[in-house]
Amino acid sequence: MRPAEDGPPLRVLHVAEAFGGGVLEMIATLAAGGAAAGDEVTVAYGRRPETPVDPRSKIDPAVELVSLGWESRGAAEQARAWRRLRRLVAARRPDVVHLHSSFAGVAGAIALPAAQPTVYTPHGYSFTMADRGPAANLAFRAIERLTARRATVVGAVSEAEAAAAREVAPADRIVVVRNGVPELDDLPLDGPEPPRPEPRRAIVLGRITAQHLPAASARILGGVADVGEIEWVGGGGTDPAELETVTAGGVPVSGWLDRAEVMQRLADATALLHWTGWDGQPLSILEAMAADVVVVGHDIEAVREILGPGQVAAEEAEATAMLRRALTDPEWRRAAIESQRHRRLRYGAARMVTEWRALYRQLSARFEPSVQKSAPAPIQTAERLPRT
């Protein structure tokens, strides 16, 4: 996955407080792609419950990895992390700082100088989280407006996230670069359905958190237990009651597994249920599409954008019926896989890396001293960026 050379190397700093799950995978892919193209790439991270014990093992050796000592969300710890980030930027002098998720976005808004080119990617806006009350969402909107105002660009990972971004940021400062995974680079359009072990299996993939609607997900999986095996592949989040809800519903839970084992469980599955209350653009769906695993998704914009209308459901009963067809109806399953193979062409990692690097280069050029004497060039939309 080596993007085409398109100019001198860039100095890029990625910052992530929530360094785990899909955010970690996206940063790891993007950082490795930039390093392969000759860029000087640094990843500065905080530690959350989902962060691997050894983050170094997840990041390309050519990428510098720096801990910000950011291990809690208390005010004093946040302030220390901001100061460390400010010192790191002063030392590395990056062409672009890419801030991933809300807490990193706030850190960049407060700690970084206004002249520093920054990209802020929410990976799912905080004010779209359905488990928070109206007052909390109003506060989140205010914070996101501050972050968007200070960022040079809001880099959304889907059209759905861009629509949310327009509620808090000027439309002309929003760019869409769709997520991508290496498994989707250069896959064929045709070919037989991969062999699967019997009996057929339906799984949920990810942490057991409010975002994944654990009670509803467990009910949907339980509704097909008579025609196949079911499993939640992942571990509990910070609320033990959510894990208990899943196990009480009769759904086996794998617990935390390394990525290789997770990918093997996914490859052995027939269908993936992605029943989520909010999302930016879920990598688990892209990984399932790469493995020709049929995805049944919750009908929210970020999921419909990937799967189209034929594999999303608004109600639990509809999702259960669709999941049952995925397990028992070979013709329906083949049609779903064919649809996924056409739709997955837009989500390769090489394309994602190329588009982000094109944006970084454009922002860097706008802020070069020789360029600042004239009006900055307009920021291109994703549709105008080079694609592979």
Side-chain angles (χ1 to χ4, degrees):
M1 187 184 68
R2 183 179 177 84
E5 299 296 339
D6 53 1
L10 295 163
R11 295 187 302 275
V12 180
L13 171 63
H14 295 279
V15 182
E17 180 262 357
F19 198 51
V23 173
L24 184 152
E25 295 300 330
M26 187 268 199
I27 293 173
T29 300
L30 185 51
D39 295 342
E40 298 176 22
V41 184
T42 300
V43 174
Y45 71 96
R47 185 171 288 278
R48 300 292 298 152
E50 63 270 23
T51 304
V53 174
D54 179 20
R56 178 74 269 177
S57 66
K58 307 294 183 182
I59 301 296
D60 189 287
V63 175
E64 181 186 24
L65 187 63
V66 178
S67 171
L68 291 174
W70 200 352
E71 299 192 4
S72 80
R73 290 180 172 176
E77 184 79 356
Q78 296 287 320
R80 283 193 293 271
W82 299 342
R83 289 194 294 271
R84 293 173 186 133
L85 176 59
R86 187 182 299 117
R87 290 195 295 268
L88 180 63
V89 168
R92 297 297 183 274
R93 300 179 62 192
D95 296 307
V96 174
V97 177
H98 195 157
L99 305 160
H100 298 270
S101 295
S102 296
F103 277 84
V106 171
I110 293 173
L112 300 185
Q116 172 65 57
T118 58
V119 178
Y120 169 53
T121 296
H123 295 290
Y125 268 107
S126 52
F127 61 80
T128 66
M129 296 179 180
D131 64 333
R132 312 296 173 90
N137 282 335
L138 282 173
F140 288 141
R141 284 178 185 273
I143 293 168
E144 295 290 1
R145 285 192 182 94
L146 166 67
T147 303
R149 186 163 61 246
R150 290 297 305 272
T152 314
V153 167
V154 175
V157 297
S158 65
E159 293 296 340
E161 187 163 83
R166 285 190 285 273
E167 298 182 30
V168 294
D172 62 355
R173 292 171 60 189
I174 300 167
V175 174
V176 178
V177 178
R178 298 182 306 279
N179 276 341
V181 296
E183 293 86 353
L184 283 177
D185 287 331
D186 303 320
L187 284 181
L189 267 175
D190 52 15
E193 179 184 346
R196 307 285 185 198
E198 294 290 347
R200 299 281 177 175
R201 302 180 68 244
I203 67 171
V204 170
L205 184 61
R207 285 186 301 151
I208 301 175
T209 63
Q211 180 183 4
H212 288 104
L213 305 175
S217 294
R219 287 191 293 267
I220 296 167
L221 281 181
V224 299
D226 60 318
V227 294
E229 293 184 346
I230 58 174
E231 184 180 31
W232 193 303
V233 179
T238 57
D239 185 353
E242 292 168 340
L243 174 59
E244 292 172 9
T245 296
V246 174
T247 56
V251 178
V253 176
S254 70
W256 291 108
L257 303 171
D258 64 32
R259 179 166 172 76
E261 179 62 22
V262 170
M263 291 298 99
Q264 186 58 58
R265 298 283 181 103
L266 179 61
D268 288 342
T270 306
L272 172 73
L273 173 68
H274 191 82
W275 202 252
T276 181
W278 62 90
D279 234 318
Q281 189 169 78
L283 296 185
S284 59
I285 291 181
L286 305 185
E287 290 164 343
M289 293 169 82
D292 281 332
V293 174
V294 174
V295 183
V296 174
H298 196 190
D299 193 3
I300 63 172
E301 288 300 320
V303 175
R304 174 183 280 259
E305 186 175 323
I306 302 175
L307 294 174
Q311 288 173 235
V312 295
E315 305 295 335
E316 290 179 35
E318 184 185 4
T320 302
M322 196 177 295
L323 201 59
R324 180 174 291 270
R325 294 193 72 180
L327 293 173
T328 63
D329 186 339
E331 290 301 320
W332 190 90
R333 189 166 59 243
R334 277 193 287 270
I337 288 174
E338 182 179 358
S339 172
Q340 290 182 180
R341 286 179 176 180
H342 282 85
R343 300 184 73 87
R344 73 190 184 186
L345 296 175
R346 308 173 69 232
Y347 297 102
R351 182 272 317 156
M352 177 187 73
V353 170
T354 298
E355 291 188 11
W356 279 121
R357 290 190 70 245
L359 177 61
Y360 298 160
R361 190 168 300 284
Q362 187 181 13
L363 294 180
S364 176
R366 290 174 77 238
F367 283 84
E368 287 177 359
S370 60
V371 176
Q372 286 183 350
K373 296 176 183 177
S374 58
I379 297 168
Q380 297 180 15
T381 64
E383 286 72 20
R384 295 177 184 169
L385 293 174
R387 298 183 185 278
T388 58

